[in-house]
Amino acid sequence: MRKRKRRIWVVSFKRRKAVIMGIALGLIMTIALGLGFSGQDKKIWSWIVGNRVVVIDAGHGGVDPGAVGIGKVLEKDVTLAVSKRLQVLVQQGGAKTFMVRNDDTDLGTAQGLLKRKREDLAQRIQLAKDAQADVYISIHANSYPDPKLTGAQTFYHSDSPESKVLAQSIQQELNIMTNGKRVVKANQDIYV
């Protein structure tokens, strides 16, 4: 019998699982709360989430590696792994999911990195529109040189009250699971 190779990630499995669970629980709680349910009955959660379309965007990909971490770990690889696990959890809740990417690709075809990245972002938005998404979650693993900026943080578009509620629910769960103290941040310049 052959042994399976194990991949070693910079972030521990326990922390990655907590981040994924936080996102999934926040998503489920927000949808439940948004429809007037307390979220205490798991059968109700599954029923509510089962009627929703969730687009999961593993940030970056293809020609765009995103941030490069310690040991040359690429953000695009981390976001894809997290997104695939999130997809499983959200599907277990009964939602229909669409993945923006399932492998190391991007959605752009243009020549030149800037044009290709813009085309990629536009295609991600179109995919969500075509899927008639109720929720669009974009996963990133940003890197900052300031050691004070650590932990998971959730962003939302400042013009969307629904996005703010979702972001607050996700951030609350992330903080509980990781003992974090980050707060949600509004951003009007978010493209997707």
Side-chain angles (χ1 to χ4, degrees):
M1 182 186 274
R2 289 175 33 185
K3 288 186 178 182
R4 289 176 41 186
K5 290 184 180 179
R6 294 182 136 191
R7 287 188 176 169
I8 298 173
W9 296 89
V10 174
V11 181
S12 72
F13 174 74
K14 191 173 184 180
R15 173 144 306 179
R16 283 188 290 133
K17 186 176 179 182
V19 169
I20 295 166
M21 287 301 295
I23 292 168
L25 289 174
L27 172 65
I28 292 168
M29 285 173 42
T30 300
I31 292 171
L33 291 172
L35 295 176
F37 292 99
S38 69
Q40 304 229 351
D41 183 344
K42 290 183 182 179
K43 290 180 183 176
I44 291 175
W45 280 3
S46 293
W47 178 78
I48 292 170
V49 176
N51 292 324
R52 302 293 176 226
V53 175
V54 179
V55 172
I56 301 172
D57 177 0
H60 306 285
V63 298
D64 181 7
V68 179
I70 298 170
K72 300 190 180 187
V73 174
L74 302 178
E75 179 179 3
K76 68 181 181 177
D77 297 333
V78 173
T79 61
L80 183 59
V82 170
S83 295
K84 285 181 175 182
R85 290 183 181 193
L86 176 61
Q87 178 186 27
V88 170
L89 293 170
V90 173
Q91 285 175 337
Q92 286 174 349
K96 182 176 183 180
T97 61
F98 286 91
M99 294 289 284
V100 168
R101 63 184 186 94
N102 289 300
D103 52 22
D104 185 18
T105 57
D106 61 78
L107 305 179
T109 58
Q111 295 298 316
L113 187 58
L114 184 59
K115 286 182 182 179
R116 187 167 180 145
K117 285 174 77 170
R118 285 184 180 160
E119 182 183 3
D120 175 63
L121 289 172
Q123 290 297 324
R124 290 171 192 244
I125 292 169
Q126 190 60 50
L127 185 140
K129 287 179 181 178
D130 292 346
Q132 298 180 342
D134 293 300
V135 176
Y136 187 100
I137 297 178
S138 186
I139 306 293
H140 290 269
N142 297 329
S143 174
Y144 297 100
D146 184 348
K148 294 177 191 171
L149 297 175
T150 62
Q153 185 169 28
T154 311
F155 295 85
Y156 67 94
H157 195 284
S158 58
D159 291 340
S160 174
E162 296 89 356
S163 292
K164 183 177 182 180
V165 172
L166 176 60
Q168 288 171 330
S169 295
I170 291 170
Q171 188 65 55
Q172 180 180 356
E173 291 300 319
L174 289 170
N175 285 343
I176 289 169
M177 294 180 162
T178 63
N179 294 320
K181 293 183 169 73
R182 299 296 295 264
V183 296
V184 299
K185 187 172 180 182
N187 187 334
Q188 194 164 350
D189 298 325
I190 292 176
Y191 193 82
V192 293

